[in-house]
Amino acid sequence: MNLLVTGFEPFAGLSHNPSSAILELLPEHLQNHQIIKARLPVDTRHAPEELARLYRVYQPVAAVHLGLAVNRPLLSIERLAVNLLDFETPDNAGARPQDQPILLQAPLALASRLPLRMIQSEWRREGIPGLLSNSAGTYLCNQVMFLALAWLPQGVPTGFIHLPPDETLALHQPQAYLPLSTQAKAVSIAIETTLSSVQAKSA
Amino acid sequence: MNLLVTGFEPFAGLSHNPSSAILELLPEHLQNHQIIKARLPVDTRHAPEELARLYRVYQPVAAVHLGLAVNRPLLSIERLAVNLLDFETPDNAGARPQDQPILLQAPLALASRLPLRMIQSEWRREGIPGLLSNSAGTYLCNQVMFLALAWLPQGVPTGFIHLPPDETLALHQPQAYLPLSTQAKAVSIAIETTLSSVQAKSA
Amino acid sequence: MNLLVTGFEPFAGLSHNPSSAILELLPEHLQNHQIIKARLPVDTRHAPEELARLYRVYQPVAAVHLGLAVNRPLLSIERLAVNLLDFETPDNAGARPQDQPILLQAPLALASRLPLRMIQSEWRREGIPGLLSNSAGTYLCNQVMFLALAWLPQGVPTGFIHLPPDETLALHQPQAYLPLSTQAKAVSIAIETTLSSVQAKSA
Amino acid sequence: MNLLVTGFEPFAGLSHNPSSAILELLPEHLQNHQIIKARLPVDTRHAPEELARLYRVYQPVAAVHLGLAVNRPLLSIERLAVNLLDFETPDNAGARPQDQPILLQAPLALASRLPLRMIQSEWRREGIPGLLSNSAGTYLCNQVMFLALAWLPQGVPTGFIHLPPDETLALHQPQAYLPLSTQAKAVSIAIETTLSSVQAKSA
């Protein structure tokens, strides 16, 4: 059984993105599940294609999507995704949709299917502060989260976690950061908690 | 031979201060030096007395003073201390001096005697971003730094490092933080770099 | 014909709230409409009652709801409200709902019916920067916005504008602020733009 | 009798600098003094030459120097200048000194000779929050302040006020700002307060 974790390639002129750099710090297996790790393009047209392919090929029982939030110093678990593309910066292919829906005929917002409060309290137990966030933005992160919630079957837990800058970014440009090793520990906890909630339901 | 490291007790209504909590994570010995660890009161009258006592008793060959800077998410090494007390919040004894000199007949500012750039570049080598800061404020941190520079002999390297909030503070009140273990690694590097610079001079 | 503008009473221990202080700086009439000004309690139980009463008594053709956003230095027009109460601080009556819906059987989110982009560009023409925001939070502001969108007829434009701190708050506690007179100018522009859009539709 | 006010030309790739844009909003005369307004180059070599020329030609009885502080949303009056050039970004001529003194044989720091507390309390009376700052940075602003304090006779009040971004900058790039008209009012008050203090002394 597969659990899918995705990050994004670098964007906005940076050469590094913690959400993909973190993937190699995550375990290969957790609780009898294979952890499938994939890097998505920062490209509003091709990211959905790649996401659909990953879902089709791996048929994940859960999917945790990751992305960088530049001005948020704490890990944040998104509560909902909105049906809106409105890019302040162009994506890596130069596209810059404004005030566009992601999916026609879909609701304005879809709610995360990750066990938000359980993840937050497991983090706290391990000494890692984290927030619930009410907005995943209107860029690629929100797009991927919205599509995950629209495309995966209702019984498949999925959602989005925004990561803070890491040391590589803060060495390049001084800013608040969280060491990538701490971020990897937090994401592993989030995956384990999500898998536990799957098993609790199916048991 | 002794190297002195100090932190402060909690203040401003908080029950925790990373600058004293960090002390027990530091080694007891480094490069044939005993690391003397001491906690200073957040008290504009008694902190100088305790500082003078520590200098007299331990005769340190170097002194690294630590304090918390609430709104600075990165470690920062102070470049200079100013001859000024101007408290926005009262100290733990309720004193709140305003626009007062620390020492009469002393210069307006004294320069750090830590190897600032060397520490910063050792941090960078270990993947820890840090800044040089041009102001240690006008509270207890600046007072201790000014007195250290005024009282210790010119040949004794001394200065001040401001620490960011740690996970304990960020769990209590969401804010940018740096794990205390990363902070302890950074302070150990700063101590080692300072000791190396002492030995380089005396060799 | 009436246009309703509401602000909130002070909360969170402060003695001032720009969203109600601004009301007396707004005109009494605009474009042949009476501007009805009302102050809502920061009380999750009584604010809805007062809102329902205002809608019933004044039958507004448009409603612009205002609130303070403490850490946002720019005016922001909310894009959507979510069906969620999750208070970090208790309201003025001491209530602190967590992870509760505002209305059962209602959608997860409702979209603003103010002319967002027109207001933003009118502001820009007058030299006032403003943002579109993707989250009105999960406190009273979001609750009032959600109820306005749920309760007022579809043809009635309504939505929410978050105001930054003003000089009164910044004199009390140093922070980024926008002079209340500039805020009042911005809100008047927003009202006028909303009324123009109503008339454009009905013409 | 002349009072000199200076601002800087734009820098760091921006096309606007509130510290020079403000000059035309200031009065030509105040309290029987001519207000001499000048724009300095952001050029570590030529700014001092221009400053020396202005002092020589106009023989000011007081000098208020202005500059932009990008991440400070409130007006701040600098307490001291340090004898240090350390540029994070090159100046407009491409120079980027690091860890260099401004003047050899000069003290590490020089104290402002503006009536800091009086200006701050006059601002408060007019509803304008402002801070005293302990660091003017290590860029051109600090350089000009240091030279002003070193070169002008002791009896001539001089110092530096950092201005926040204005609406022009915030419309270009969303950020906290203070309307330029409010800034101009604040600077006029600072000039008047400085002139009053000169007259009080000479009376």
Side-chain angles (χ1 to χ4, degrees):
Chain A
M1 293 201 295
N2 296 322
L3 180 141
L4 177 66
V5 190
T6 69
F8 283 105
E9 64 179 4
F11 67 106
L14 300 166
S15 59
H16 173 83
N17 188 330
S19 73
S20 46
I22 205 174
L23 295 176
E24 60 188 80
L25 303 186
L26 299 178
E28 304 299 319
H29 296 86
L30 269 175
Q31 297 181 8
N32 292 322
H33 288 71
Q34 173 102 14
I35 308 301
I36 308 294
K37 306 167 183 180
R39 193 170 97 147
L40 298 174
V42 176
D43 179 322
T44 193
R45 251 195 2 176
H46 290 110
E49 294 169 12
E50 175 62 2
L51 196 67
R53 191 188 68 78
L54 291 165
Y55 291 162
R56 196 171 59 238
V57 172
Y58 295 105
Q59 302 283 328
V61 299
V64 175
H65 299 290
L66 307 173
L68 167 66
V70 169
N71 284 313
R72 297 191 201 167
L74 297 185
L75 291 150
S76 53
I77 320 174
E78 296 300 336
R79 270 182 164 129
L80 72 162
V82 296
N83 191 2
L84 178 66
L85 300 175
D86 191 53
F87 291 11
E88 304 234 329
T89 28
D91 70 13
N92 286 350
R96 205 186 148 196
Q98 293 195 274
D99 291 331
Q100 304 279 319
I102 294 170
L103 292 178
L104 297 172
Q105 318 286 4
L108 176 59
L110 295 171
S112 177
R113 297 201 299 264
L114 295 179
L116 309 176
R117 291 289 185 195
M118 283 173 62
I119 294 171
Q120 192 183 30
S121 73
E122 287 302 313
W123 283 354
R124 169 171 284 271
R125 276 219 296 199
E126 298 289 328
I128 303 175
L131 297 173
L132 301 197
S133 162
N134 304 307
S135 172
T138 57
Y139 199 57
L140 263 294
C141 293
N142 174 70
Q143 183 180 5
V144 161
M145 180 178 175
F146 192 87
L147 292 174
L149 291 163
W151 287 348
L152 286 172
Q154 273 295 327
V156 174
T158 189
F160 202 93
I161 298 176
H162 263 118
L163 307 178
D166 65 0
E167 58 272 35
T168 305
L169 292 174
L171 283 167
H172 177 69
Q173 170 79 31
Q175 60 192 298
Y177 79 101
L178 189 63
L180 195 62
S181 59
T182 307
Q183 299 194 27
K185 189 175 160 196
V187 170
S188 295
I189 292 170
I191 292 173
E192 286 198 278
T193 309
T194 301
L195 287 175
S196 300
S197 76
V198 175
Q199 288 159 338
K201 271 185 219 154
S202 61
Chain B
M1 291 201 296
N2 297 322
L3 180 140
L4 176 66
V5 191
T6 69
F8 283 104
E9 64 179 4
F11 67 105
L14 299 166
S15 58
H16 173 84
N17 189 330
S19 73
S20 46
I22 205 174
L23 296 177
E24 59 189 81
L25 303 186
L26 300 178
E28 304 299 319
H29 297 87
L30 269 175
Q31 297 180 9
N32 293 322
H33 288 72
Q34 174 104 14
I35 309 301
I36 308 295
K37 306 166 183 181
R39 194 169 96 148
L40 298 174
V42 176
D43 179 322
T44 194
R45 250 193 3 174
H46 292 110
E49 295 169 12
E50 175 61 2
L51 196 67
R53 191 188 69 79
L54 291 164
Y55 290 163
R56 197 173 58 241
V57 171
Y58 295 104
Q59 303 282 331
V61 298
V64 175
H65 299 290
L66 307 173
L68 167 66
V70 169
N71 284 311
R72 299 191 199 167
L74 297 184
L75 292 150
S76 54
I77 320 173
E78 297 300 336
R79 269 179 164 133
L80 71 162
V82 296
N83 192 1
L84 178 66
L85 299 175
D86 191 53
F87 291 11
E88 304 234 330
T89 29
D91 69 14
N92 286 350
R96 203 183 148 198
Q98 293 196 271
D99 291 331
Q100 304 279 319
I102 294 170
L103 293 179
L104 297 172
Q105 317 288 3
L108 176 59
L110 295 172
S112 177
R113 298 200 299 263
L114 295 179
L116 309 175
R117 292 291 185 194
M118 282 173 63
I119 293 171
Q120 192 184 30
S121 74
E122 288 302 313
W123 283 352
R124 168 171 285 271
R125 276 219 297 199
E126 298 289 328
I128 302 174
L131 297 173
L132 302 197
S133 162
N134 304 307
S135 172
T138 57
Y139 198 57
L140 263 293
C141 293
N142 175 70
Q143 182 180 6
V144 162
M145 180 178 175
F146 193 86
L147 292 175
L149 291 162
W151 287 349
L152 286 171
Q154 273 296 326
V156 173
T158 189
F160 202 93
I161 298 176
H162 262 119
L163 306 179
D166 65 1
E167 58 273 35
T168 305
L169 292 174
L171 283 167
H172 176 69
Q173 169 79 31
Q175 60 190 298
Y177 79 102
L178 189 62
L180 195 62
S181 59
T182 307
Q183 299 193 27
K185 189 174 160 195
V187 170
S188 295
I189 292 171
I191 293 172
E192 288 198 279
T193 309
T194 301
L195 287 174
S196 300
S197 77
V198 176
Q199 287 159 338
K201 270 184 218 152
S202 62
Chain C
M1 291 200 296
N2 296 322
L3 181 140
L4 176 66
V5 191
T6 68
F8 282 104
E9 64 180 3
F11 67 107
L14 299 167
S15 59
H16 173 84
N17 188 331
S19 73
S20 45
I22 205 174
L23 295 176
E24 60 188 80
L25 302 186
L26 300 178
E28 304 298 321
H29 297 86
L30 268 175
Q31 298 180 10
N32 292 323
H33 288 70
Q34 173 103 13
I35 309 301
I36 308 294
K37 305 166 184 182
R39 194 170 95 147
L40 298 174
V42 175
D43 179 322
T44 193
R45 248 188 10 167
H46 291 110
E49 294 169 11
E50 175 62 3
L51 196 67
R53 191 189 68 81
L54 291 164
Y55 290 163
R56 196 172 59 240
V57 172
Y58 295 106
Q59 302 283 330
V61 298
V64 175
H65 299 289
L66 307 174
L68 166 67
V70 169
N71 284 312
R72 298 191 198 167
L74 297 185
L75 291 151
S76 54
I77 321 174
E78 297 300 336
R79 270 179 163 134
L80 72 161
V82 295
N83 192 3
L84 179 65
L85 300 175
D86 192 53
F87 291 11
E88 305 234 328
T89 29
D91 70 13
N92 286 350
R96 204 185 148 199
Q98 293 196 273
D99 291 332
Q100 304 280 318
I102 295 171
L103 292 179
L104 296 172
Q105 317 287 5
L108 176 59
L110 295 171
S112 177
R113 297 201 299 264
L114 295 179
L116 309 175
R117 291 289 185 196
M118 282 173 62
I119 293 171
Q120 192 184 30
S121 74
E122 287 302 313
W123 283 353
R124 168 171 285 270
R125 276 220 296 201
E126 297 291 328
I128 302 176
L131 297 174
L132 302 196
S133 162
N134 304 307
S135 172
T138 56
Y139 199 57
L140 263 294
C141 294
N142 174 70
Q143 182 180 6
V144 161
M145 181 178 174
F146 192 86
L147 291 175
L149 291 162
W151 286 349
L152 286 171
Q154 274 295 326
V156 173
T158 189
F160 202 93
I161 298 175
H162 263 118
L163 306 180
D166 65 0
E167 59 272 35
T168 304
L169 291 174
L171 283 166
H172 176 68
Q173 169 80 30
Q175 60 191 300
Y177 78 102
L178 190 62
L180 195 62
S181 59
T182 306
Q183 298 194 28
K185 189 174 161 197
V187 171
S188 295
I189 292 170
I191 293 173
E192 288 198 277
T193 309
T194 301
L195 288 174
S196 300
S197 77
V198 175
Q199 287 159 337
K201 272 186 219 151
S202 61
Chain D
M1 293 200 297
N2 297 322
L3 180 140
L4 177 66
V5 190
T6 69
F8 282 104
E9 64 179 5
F11 68 106
L14 299 167
S15 59
H16 174 83
N17 188 329
S19 74
S20 46
I22 206 173
L23 295 176
E24 59 188 81
L25 302 186
L26 301 177
E28 304 298 319
H29 297 87
L30 269 174
Q31 298 181 8
N32 293 321
H33 289 71
Q34 173 103 15
I35 308 301
I36 308 294
K37 306 166 183 181
R39 193 169 97 147
L40 298 175
V42 175
D43 180 321
T44 193
R45 253 198 358 180
H46 291 110
E49 294 170 12
E50 175 61 2
L51 196 68
R53 191 189 68 80
L54 291 164
Y55 290 162
R56 196 172 59 241
V57 172
Y58 295 106
Q59 303 283 329
V61 298
V64 175
H65 299 290
L66 307 173
L68 167 66
V70 169
N71 284 312
R72 298 192 200 166
L74 297 184
L75 291 150
S76 54
I77 321 173
E78 297 300 336
R79 268 179 164 133
L80 70 163
V82 296
N83 192 2
L84 178 66
L85 300 175
D86 191 52
F87 290 12
E88 304 233 329
T89 28
D91 71 12
N92 287 350
R96 204 185 147 198
Q98 293 195 274
D99 291 331
Q100 303 279 319
I102 295 170
L103 292 179
L104 297 172
Q105 318 287 3
L108 176 59
L110 295 171
S112 176
R113 297 200 299 262
L114 295 179
L116 309 175
R117 291 289 185 195
M118 282 173 62
I119 293 171
Q120 192 184 29
S121 72
E122 288 302 313
W123 283 353
R124 169 171 283 270
R125 276 220 296 200
E126 298 290 327
I128 302 174
L131 297 173
L132 302 197
S133 162
N134 303 308
S135 171
T138 57
Y139 199 56
L140 263 293
C141 294
N142 174 70
Q143 182 180 7
V144 161
M145 180 178 175
F146 193 87
L147 291 175
L149 291 163
W151 286 350
L152 286 171
Q154 273 295 328
V156 174
T158 187
F160 202 92
I161 298 175
H162 263 118
L163 306 179
D166 65 0
E167 59 272 36
T168 304
L169 292 174
L171 283 167
H172 177 68
Q173 169 80 31
Q175 59 191 298
Y177 78 102
L178 190 63
L180 196 62
S181 60
T182 306
Q183 299 194 28
K185 188 174 159 198
V187 170
S188 295
I189 291 169
I191 293 173
E192 287 197 279
T193 309
T194 302
L195 287 174
S196 300
S197 76
V198 175
Q199 286 159 339
K201 271 185 219 153
S202 62

